[in-house]
Amino acid sequence: MKNKILTIITLSSILLGGCSKEFLEEKKSYDKYDESIFTNETQTNWYIDRLYNYFFVSYRNPQQSIVGLYDASRSQMTEELAGTIPDKINSTKSLLLATEGDTYYGNTIGTGVQNNPYSRIRLANFLIEKVESVGRGKLSDEYIKRAKGQMYFLRALQYFDLVRIYGGVPIVTTIENASSTDETIRLPRAKSSEVFAQVAKDLDSAANNLPMIWDVPGTNYGRLTAAGALAMKSRVLLVAASPLYNKDWDNSGNEKWQKALQAGLDAETALTNAGYGLFGTNAKDWAEMTFRNDNAFNKEALMVFLLSSTSTTSQGYNNGWENSLRLRDQNGTGGIAVPKAMLDLFPLADGSRPTASNYIDTFFFENRDPRFYRTFAFSGTKWGYKQSANASVWLYRWRENTSAPKYYGNNQTNSPAVVRKMSNPAADNTGYAFSGTDIFEYRYAELLLNIAEAYAATGNAAKAIEYIGKVRARVGIPATNNYGLGSISSRHAAIEAVLYERRVELAYEGKRFWDLQRWMLYDNDPASGNSVQKLGVTPLNGVSRTGFYWQAKVSTANDPLSATDRDILVDPDASDFNTQIAKLKNLYNSKFVMTPLDQAWDRVNNVPVSILFRSNYYLSGLNGGLLSNNPWLLQTKGWLDFSGGQGTFDYQD
């Protein structure tokens, strides 16, 4: 829809016009909100929509994460992106002091509502506690249920992100007023397991109070649902069972894995019965799922965040992803160059992994998993937009002797491929910045992989393969040899196979960091129970994210390719796809050579660096300002407290 309005994120900015906005602004502090707001549906809707806004207003592209914050810093700490070095992978820094702890938790409360985690929790608690007593008789029972259900879900999301960043935190489920003297609100940090239990409980409450699919989808599509709550419980319990929080993770009979598996299976059953499932039956459908059914129910979208194509910020928020993906000669900002490790990662067309015997990295575009051609664009690739449906991509350079290199179309990238996943081929190249493509924060495919991982961890490799197979079958990987997975019998190999599949299926969807974190795959930290060694993976520490150029073999002052040379259109949906791939390969052989980057991609002060994620970063310490104002809170192990002493709080309980 043109000028689509975001139901979840921006509905508050639409509804809060005129006197309604003034009403809420007048009450924009804890002491001014009172239960009278819940005496009718209109005002209650204002309240609910404002809280959605507080949670999700900054969610503008799929690489972002953390409710209320939504930045891409965690994605920048993975193999998916290069060139940006957040402090936590910067080998020239060592964060240890309380003043260097993550500030997400929030600061002291000022005169008004600050949009921080415990403010959002308090606002959710306020409705949960007051709407029933005040609204009974004025609001329908069904309306009250749905209002409370959304608050339980939002509170669960907030505690989940807190426990993912810090481990155990204080659990507050009632309305509390800020006070420097009230001893009863000086709550200690709960155990991590207690926070996970509270999150699961809230998700159960959300599922019991919310519909699987909202009625009046034109108005309510995008709101949190019971389907999303059930699926989120699967994700939450999977994280709780992982090595970061579970010292007994390597025990196939561990109760946490059993609970994660059951939550996944329960969600699968309920969601299937309600009409959810994998979208489409082929890789073309897979590529188009985020934009084909614009602003309408999509069976794969378990948590979807709607964005607007309006250019008026007061009427909606845009997805920044399309603009960041598009190359300069398509009027974009330059594209997201793909590190070589990502190009080499994806399976081959039969589902098997690339090895020295079956894969040549020079021809990375040949014989790959169908998802490869929908995740990346490279020279010759068809990547259209509204004004040119058959536009193609070209990423190469040439130089004359020692002169500065020239790049075709001014497409200067550090890789011969760029990300194209979740791009809309009908996007208007005069307004990429106003993309309204929705963000699928949680897809049904992830639920299937959650189940696969839980099966693997409980020792059922056959079922793990079966569930990975469902994900692969949808995109057209042949069933031969277990969809290319081969024979997997060991528990550790099955877990690793699932984590590998997540890297492919969920690439560039903001999920990779959380898998690295919960499995503690940056290093060989003993606290992980040797997860790196047991799974047989290479730790990310010490890795340098690299790229390369397609460079003309012959020194030349002019473009080495003619229009005839570029008469290639690699379209995986076309009948001559393999012919076009062969033409591209021949063109490369005759004209280009694989050339290292002029300088390292990852640099600090212009000095090459490798990833170094220190063990105490898996969970952050509490920030010094927070500890100063709340001296009863214990600092996390591995971090110094406000006085310079060693932290004592153990997040593995």
Side-chain angles (χ1 to χ4, degrees), residues 36 43 51 98 210 221 232 240 256 303 338 479 482 537 563 616 634:
S36 66
Q43 292 181 171
L51 193 50
L210 291 172
Y221 180 58
M232 181 56 70
K256 291 182 178 181
M303 288 179 63
V338 182
N482 285 327
V537 300
N616 64 309
L634 299 178

Side-chain angles (χ1 to χ4, degrees), residues 183-391:
E183 296 287 338
T184 65
I185 67 171
R186 296 187 176 186
L187 300 176
R189 296 179 70 171
K191 294 180 179 180
S192 299
S193 59
E194 293 171 336
V195 180
F196 281 116
Q198 180 63 48
V199 173
K201 180 180 177 181
D202 278 349
L203 291 171
D204 285 340
S205 296
N208 290 333
N209 282 281
L210 291 172
M212 292 294 286
I213 300 173
W214 281 86
D215 54 3
V216 196
T219 300
N220 290 317
Y221 180 58
R223 289 192 180 276
L224 299 169
T225 63
L230 292 168
M232 181 56 70
K233 183 178 178 181
S234 165
R235 181 192 286 179
V236 167
L237 294 184
L238 196 74
V239 172
S242 301
L244 181 61
Y245 303 96
N246 182 13
K247 294 178 181 178
D248 192 39
W249 72 267
D250 204 23
N251 173 9
S252 62
N254 180 263
E255 182 184 20
K256 291 182 178 181
W257 286 121
Q258 301 292 338
K259 287 183 176 180
L261 175 59
Q262 192 60 54
L265 294 173
D266 289 346
E268 181 188 24
T269 298
L271 269 63
T272 300
N273 291 338
Y276 291 90
L278 294 174
F279 178 84
T281 58
N282 54 50
K284 185 175 188 293
D285 295 336
W286 181 86
E288 296 179 355
M289 77 173 79
T290 57
F291 61 81
R292 188 190 295 177
N293 294 345
D294 186 42
N295 206 23
F297 175 75
N298 183 307
K299 63 189 295 187
E300 181 135 355
L302 308 186
M303 288 179 63
V304 58
F305 294 91
L306 312 186
L307 291 156
S308 173
S309 58
T310 180
S311 59
T312 305
T313 56
S314 63
Q315 294 184 4
Y317 300 119
N318 313 114
N319 187 339
W321 187 241
E322 190 79 49
N323 199 32
S324 66
L325 295 182
R326 293 290 184 162
L327 294 164
R328 289 186 180 89
D329 68 340
Q330 294 189 350
N331 208 30
T333 58
I336 298 175
V338 182
K340 186 176 184 299
M342 289 299 295
L343 295 178
D344 296 342
L345 169 72
F346 276 56
L348 302 182
D350 64 0
S352 62
R353 298 195 195 188
T355 65
S357 63
N358 64 15
Y359 171 69
I360 300 174
D361 59 358
T362 303
F363 308 119
F364 61 86
F365 50 84
E366 186 178 33
N367 189 39
R368 304 303 294 274
D369 180 318
R371 291 168 292 187
F372 182 91
Y373 303 103
R374 278 83 176 179
T375 302
F376 307 120
F378 46 87
S379 289
T381 299
K382 177 184 175 181
W383 190 9
Y385 46 92
K386 180 181 178 180
Q387 289 81 359
S388 180
N390 287 322

